[in-house]
Amino acid sequence: MASLICTLRDHQDDVNWCSFSARLLATCSGDKTLRIYDAHDFSELPFSPLTGHGYSVHCCCFSPCGQFLASCSTDASTLVWSMVTGDIEAVLEHPGRSPVRICALSPDSAHLVSGASDGTLALWNFPSKKLSRTGGVSDTTMVACSFSPCSQMFMTGSTYGDLRLWDLDLNHLLAEKNAHDLGVSCCSFAPSILSGGQVVQFRLASCGQDCHLKIWAISKFTSGGFKMILLHTLAGQTAPVLCCAYSSDGQLLVSGYVTACSFSPTSPLIATGSMDKTVNIWRLEDRCSGHGKATAGLSKLLVADWSERDVTEWLVEEGLEGLVDKFKANNIDGTELLSLTKETLASELGIAKESFIA
């Protein structure tokens, strides 16, 4: 399925993150540096390593055009680098000077969000490099963040195990408080948007210390409401899942025990980083392997378009076989599923809240 084509051994400490652009690969480490490689032959660029941070660098991400790279660090700053010269374009100091653990750029290059060890979030206007607003959640550490493909909202994950959806005013749109037992490690929106009728839908992957990779459907209704449904729980891994990433076409999803993973947007390559200080580059041998769960087709459908049979299939996959008969008796299809609340589950279907805890 995948073959190792090279190993990069330049970092002197744990590799915390890796990120591809169309022509470059960036990696960052506990050794306080970032390293930049040509994505064609993986030779290091002349201006690499980048040495602007004072402490461990936790995350890095390219702007969509690949001209800039953002990185964040325990030194409480997010730096913006030129990928033409390797120079620092801007220093974004996190409000409160808390260590910054995660950063993400919106697909339209308009916004940059950074999340810190004290649970705070800072939203920056990326073109001007000015702070737009702050928010967050107290008594937790932000460790995961991903913008939706529409750039109008983003998901965060924390060491408390919760996933939270925010708009650009830093208002809460959704909160899944027990998404991953023992903490979220990473989350990633799929690049595609599904739409139909009164709903627009997104896919999100998340992983955590519970050894699970989960795929969620997030629905936005024309009425302004939001709903989040767990589609799949992939429990094949036997250690904490520390990273996950979608391919640029959204057809593949990689996850692992390694500390970092990233798909190339232009070639069948994956980069993985590890606590052994190395970055491995893998070539995918066959992007259309045909392997996977038979129910994976559900991920390509709007939940609102699910038939009663699709709902039954989903219940069985999620280990909720005991609810199948009640759902069948009440003709619950995808549209009905989206309308269910904890109250209607209990009052109309006689299903206790605990029955739906994944």
Side-chain angles (χ1 to χ4, degrees), residues 115-169:
S117 293
D118 62 357
T120 59
L121 294 168
L123 186 69
W124 307 83
N125 179 293
F126 189 66
S128 69
K129 312 299 186 294
K130 301 296 184 182
L131 181 65
S132 298
R133 52 188 54 85
T134 60
V137 181
S138 60
D139 301 322
T140 190
T141 296
M142 293 294 182
V143 291
C145 184
S146 180
F147 267 95
S148 65
C150 67
S151 298
Q152 297 305 301
M153 53 191 177
F154 60 91
M155 188 72 75
T156 61
S158 82
T159 52
Y160 271 5
D162 61 309
L163 289 169
R164 294 177 183 270
L165 187 67
W166 309 78
D167 65 16
L168 297 179
D169 292 320

Side-chain angles (χ1 to χ4, degrees), residues 37-350:
Y37 302 91
D38 187 302
H40 176 68
D41 60 7
F42 297 99
S43 59
E44 194 165 7
L45 268 59
F47 59 69
S48 180
L50 306 179
T51 57
H53 284 292
Y55 293 96
S56 178
V57 187
H58 295 290
C59 177
C60 59
C61 54
F62 283 102
S63 61
C65 66
Q67 185 177 356
F68 301 103
L69 179 74
S71 63
C72 61
S73 166
T74 302
D75 65 13
S77 71
T78 300
L79 301 184
V80 180
W81 309 82
S82 166
M83 288 295 97
V84 177
T85 64
D87 294 335
I88 296 174
E89 295 283 326
V91 178
L92 312 180
E93 294 188 356
H94 197 82
R97 300 294 297 164
S98 183
V100 184
R101 294 292 305 275
I102 192 71
C103 60
L105 274 158
S106 61
D108 63 2
S109 298
H111 308 284
L112 169 70
V113 66
S114 57
S117 293
D118 62 357
T120 59
L121 294 168
L123 186 69
W124 307 83
N125 179 293
F126 189 66
S128 69
K129 312 299 186 294
K130 301 296 184 182
L131 181 65
S132 298
R133 52 188 54 85
T134 60
V137 181
S138 60
D139 301 322
T140 190
T141 296
M142 293 294 182
V143 291
C145 184
S146 180
F147 267 95
S148 65
C150 67
S151 298
Q152 297 305 301
M153 53 191 177
F154 60 91
M155 188 72 75
T156 61
S158 82
T159 52
Y160 271 5
D162 61 309
L163 289 169
R164 294 177 183 270
L165 187 67
W166 309 78
D167 65 16
L168 297 179
D169 292 320
L170 295 189
N171 296 313
H172 272 141
L173 301 176
L174 284 174
E176 187 70 29
K177 295 185 178 180
N178 299 295
H180 288 277
D181 191 23
L182 305 177
V184 175
S185 300
C186 186
C187 65
S188 177
F189 269 102
S192 57
I193 302 174
L194 302 173
S195 61
Q198 303 297 307
V199 64
V200 175
Q201 198 171 96
F202 307 88
R203 293 289 186 267
L204 179 89
S206 67
C207 58
Q209 299 294 324
D210 56 5
C211 309
H212 290 163
L213 174 67
K214 296 184 177 183
I215 301 174
W216 309 81
I218 299 166
S219 298
K220 178 182 179 181
F221 299 93
T222 54
S223 61
F226 290 83
K227 193 173 185 77
M228 184 170 175
I229 291 178
L230 178 63
L231 291 181
H232 307 292
T233 300
L234 308 180
Q237 292 167 294
T238 57
V241 186
L242 302 181
C243 60
C244 60
Y246 275 102
S247 60
S248 59
D249 61 6
Q251 297 302 301
L252 296 176
L253 175 64
V254 63
S255 66
Y257 318 138
V258 291
T259 53
C261 60
S262 178
F263 276 98
S264 166
T266 56
S267 57
L269 299 175
I270 297 174
T272 60
S274 174
M275 294 179 187
D276 66 2
K277 310 176 188 178
T278 69
V279 177
N280 284 338
I281 309 299
W282 307 84
R283 182 177 297 280
L284 297 175
E285 303 299 341
D286 184 1
R287 288 177 65 96
C288 302
S289 63
H291 295 289
K293 294 192 175 187
T295 53
L298 291 179
S299 296
K300 299 179 181 180
L301 297 175
L302 283 165
V303 174
D305 293 335
W306 284 7
S307 65
E308 293 178 30
R309 181 176 178 178
D310 291 331
V311 172
T312 296
E313 188 178 336
W314 170 72
L315 288 171
V316 171
E317 182 186 336
E318 291 303 312
L320 300 171
E321 294 92 340
L323 302 180
V324 168
D325 288 343
K326 283 190 176 181
F327 272 58
K328 284 184 175 180
N330 287 275
N331 304 115
I332 303 296
D333 58 12
T335 300
E336 291 289 335
L337 180 64
L338 287 172
S339 69
L340 291 178
T341 65
K342 296 173 185 176
E343 291 72 26
T344 55
L345 282 171
S347 63
E348 298 180 22
L349 300 182

